[in-house]
Amino acid sequence: MGVFIQIVQLILSLSLLVVIHEFGHYMFARIFGVRVNKFYMFFNSKFSLLRAKKFNGKWHAKFFAKNLEELKEGETIESLDDNDWRKYPEHTEWGIGWIPFGGYCAIDGMVDETQKAEQLAAEPKPWEYRSQAAWKRMFIITGGVLMNFVAAIVIYIMLLFVNGKEYLPVRNAIYGYDFCTTAKEYGFQNGDIIINVNGEDVETDKDVINKIIIEGKCDIRVLRGGDTVRVLLPKSFSEKVVAANETAFMQFRFPFTVGDVVEGSEAERAGMMVGDSIIALNDTAVCVASDFIEMLSTYKHETVDLTIMRGSDTLNISATPDTTGKIGFTINPSISVFEVEHIDYNIIEAIPAGIKNGIEILVNYIKQFRLVFTKAGAKSVGGFIAIGKIFPSFWDWSYFWNITAFISVILAFMNILPIPVLDGGYLLMIIFEMITGKKPSDKFMNIALNIGMVLLLALLIYANGNDILKLIFKY
């Protein structure tokens, strides 16, 4: 059920963002008087789940309908029946395809995946994309990227306005942090609290990750016990963390109580109850969940003595972990002991804060993009499965909109890369035209489009292939 919820969230999020992206192209095209032949959510090879068009003053719609055919040789628009949709090319056909990823906005007179150069052999018409001045075409091309970025900022603004901002300052993580295996190999210890990176104080664990993993800073100061300790990392540390496929660089440590007790488990047999606090294992004091889990895992099939607090009473019980080092209860984090910061925003305050949030995420993603060109980074590139795993296995609108905003920023950045078939590839051609005064031919654009399509398909195959290999071999 959790995987199904992740898939639904992924499809809903990407569908929404694709519509927003394509609407950016549509909006600027219509502002400049350029016709848009089709606007589709999802792809519609051969037929469409729904297609609609307004002409003669009213809307016409068809469900599960074959796509419209091109005009036959000798056939003209004037000769068509008044109810034939093809007779009204000045109106956009709206639709929903049956292939549930992506979408498109077919702009008249533009060489793209919907129109090839040979289809534009006739003289350009005033309402076509190719007839527009370069600066107008620049806005039409970048409209999708702009809309994705604006959409992300709007989402961040609304999240801040509705929910505010709540975070745990690193100094208030009184039990410290647990670090990934790679981090511990290079000097970190569980329980450390990072307070300074390259001479700059840090406020949140997000700041820490940005500075160490994304920006590659290496000179770290941590609180360890009552002392300040220096940890020096190699410049390749970020790559090593990525190569190790660590799930998280650091996670705050927390005390816990017993959550659900599994029926028929060793924990139930031993008399453990919901709400119990485990304070010692074999006379060794323990108060942090991760320490208890690690200690218990070393006593597989060995009886251990547990000291627990139940209300004001102290009890001693014995239990024998199974082959996985577990005794059959869930952990309920006790986070009320932490002093968290909460900031409320009115709508005026949320606007600059949301803009700042969007810009910071974009900048950090651009910085992080350098890792893609390393050996470790290339192996970590993921496709739809990797994106889907970002979503939680439960439904929470705040999580959903936060992740959707993040993906929207990524889509904006990826689409502006100067690769033919992406918006950045078209933009590069327009900039070349504005500098040289020479417009690339439709034939050249068609060739570039085909090359870009091959590159894009290769990247999709590689990224999703990585996902599949990780599922199979668990690397």
Side-chain angles (χ1 to χ4, degrees):
M1 188 63 183
V3 174
F4 175 75
I5 292 173
Q6 287 178 308
I7 292 172
V8 171
Q9 289 181 92
L10 173 65
I11 294 176
L12 178 60
S13 178
L14 291 182
S15 300
L16 175 65
L17 294 179
V18 166
V19 169
I20 289 172
H21 180 91
E22 299 301 332
F23 185 76
H25 295 308
Y26 173 86
M27 179 179 67
F28 280 104
R30 298 305 300 138
I31 286 173
F32 298 126
V34 176
R35 288 181 182 176
V36 177
N37 298 327
K38 294 182 179 182
F39 188 106
Y40 265 75
M41 181 174 73
F42 304 152
F43 292 106
N44 61 319
S45 177
K46 305 298 183 182
F47 76 96
S48 307
L49 297 180
L50 167 68
R51 53 186 178 90
K53 196 171 190 176
K54 185 178 182 180
F55 57 88
N56 290 336
K58 64 178 181 178
W59 281 96
H60 302 260
K62 292 186 178 181
F63 294 90
F64 303 100
K66 289 184 178 180
N67 297 337
L68 295 173
E69 297 179 354
E70 297 292 331
L71 292 178
K72 298 177 182 178
E73 187 175 351
E75 194 174 25
T76 63
I77 289 177
E78 291 74 16
S79 65
L80 298 175
D81 183 86
D82 287 345
N83 291 319
D84 194 318
W85 292 20
R86 295 173 298 173
K87 192 169 186 176
Y88 310 94
E90 68 276 14
H91 298 295
T92 302
E93 178 185 319
W94 303 81
I96 301 175
W98 58 274
I99 304 174
F101 282 109
Y104 65 93
C105 172
I107 298 174
D108 202 3
M110 178 178 177
V111 178
D112 59 10
E113 66 272 17
T114 66
Q115 295 176 97
K116 303 302 181 185
E118 55 267 23
Q119 295 176 270
L120 303 174
E123 285 297 312
K125 305 296 190 297
W127 58 79
E128 291 185 341
Y129 168 84
R130 55 181 173 160
S131 301
Q132 309 306 307
W135 69 270
K136 292 183 179 180
R137 284 182 277 123
M138 180 178 288
F139 274 103
I140 294 172
I141 286 300
T142 58
V145 169
L146 290 172
M147 282 296 289
N148 274 138
F149 189 62
V150 169
I153 287 176
V154 170
I155 293 172
Y156 286 132
I157 290 171
M158 295 311 298
L159 285 172
L160 289 171
F161 175 62
V162 173
N163 300 328
K165 179 181 179 181
E166 189 169 272
Y167 65 94
L168 175 67
V170 289
R171 288 179 178 273
N172 293 353
I174 54 179
Y175 296 94
Y177 287 82
D178 286 326
F179 293 87
C180 66
T181 302
T182 306
K184 287 187 284 190
E185 289 174 356
Y186 286 92
F188 290 105
Q189 294 182 13
N190 287 345
D192 285 351
I193 300 176
I194 297 174
I195 56 172
N196 186 286
V197 179
N198 277 36
E200 301 174 13
D201 291 341
V202 289
E203 177 69 6
T204 68
D205 52 2
K206 180 181 176 182
D207 296 334
V208 172
I209 293 170
N210 286 341
K211 292 181 183 298
I212 296 178
I213 305 301
I214 296 178
E215 298 178 19
K217 295 181 177 179
C218 304
D219 191 354
I220 320 299
R221 296 293 196 283
V222 304
L223 285 178
R224 183 175 296 166
D227 301 322
T228 300
V229 179
R230 187 183 187 190
V231 177
L232 285 175
L233 303 173
K235 291 184 178 180
S236 59
F237 180 73
S238 296
E239 291 179 47
K240 294 181 184 298
V241 172
V242 173
N245 198 29
E246 304 280 12
T247 55
F249 171 65
M250 57 188 282
Q251 294 178 313
F252 75 93
R253 292 154 60 86
F254 53 85
F256 69 101
T257 58
V258 175
D260 294 330
V261 177
V262 178
E263 187 177 351
S265 67
E266 182 69 6
E268 184 184 53
R269 185 205 63 76
M272 195 171 287
M273 298 177 63
V274 174
D276 286 349
S277 296
I278 299 173
I279 59 174
L281 190 157
N282 283 353
D283 295 326
T284 300
V286 58
C287 62
V288 176
S290 56
D291 288 345
F292 174 76
I293 293 170
E294 184 178 355
M295 290 170 63
L296 191 65
S297 67
T298 63
Y299 292 99
K300 298 172 183 176
H301 288 307
E302 296 182 32
T303 300
V304 296
D305 295 322
L306 301 174
T307 304
I308 64 175
M309 289 290 297
R310 182 175 297 163
S312 59
D313 298 327
T314 302
L315 305 174
N316 294 303
I317 63 173
S318 297
T320 304
D322 61 17
T323 54
T324 64
K326 298 176 181 178
I327 59 176
F329 72 91
T330 61
I331 283 176
N332 184 26
S334 301
I335 59 176
S336 59
V337 298
F338 297 109
E339 186 179 343
V340 299
E341 295 287 338
H342 184 88
I343 305 173
D344 288 317
Y345 296 85
N346 60 39
I347 190 61
I348 302 301
E349 295 168 331
I351 292 172
I355 293 172
K356 181 183 178 183
N357 200 12
I359 293 173
E360 284 181 351
I361 289 173
L362 176 60
V363 170
N364 286 331
Y365 188 78
I366 293 172
K367 290 177 180 178
Q368 182 182 350
F369 196 68
R370 65 182 174 84
L371 294 173
V372 173
F373 300 100
T374 64
K375 183 178 179 180
K379 286 184 178 180
S380 70
V381 171
F384 292 121
I385 295 176
I387 298 172
K389 286 183 176 180
I390 299 176
F391 292 95
S393 56
F394 55 90
W395 197 279
D396 183 286
W397 282 110
S398 291
Y399 277 106
F400 173 81
W401 287 116
N402 229 314
I403 295 170
T404 297
F406 174 68
I407 296 174
S408 193
V409 172
I410 294 175
L411 287 178
F413 173 72
M414 296 301 291
N415 265 289
I416 207 65
L417 293 177
I419 300 173
V421 84
L422 296 179
D423 296 341
Y426 289 99
L427 181 61
L428 184 64
M429 298 299 177
I430 294 173
I431 293 173
F432 173 82
E433 176 188 345
M434 295 175 76
I435 293 173
T436 64
K438 296 180 180 180
K439 185 177 181 180
S441 67
D442 289 340
K443 183 178 180 180
F444 174 81
M445 290 295 294
N446 201 24
I447 294 172
L449 183 70
N450 289 332
I451 294 173
M453 188 66 73
V454 170
L455 291 174
L456 188 61
L457 286 174
L459 179 60
L460 286 172
I461 292 171
Y462 176 78
N464 288 285
N466 264 353
D467 283 349
I468 295 170
L469 290 174
K470 288 174 184 175
L471 282 177
I472 296 174
F473 298 106
K474 306 295 182 182
Y475 72 87

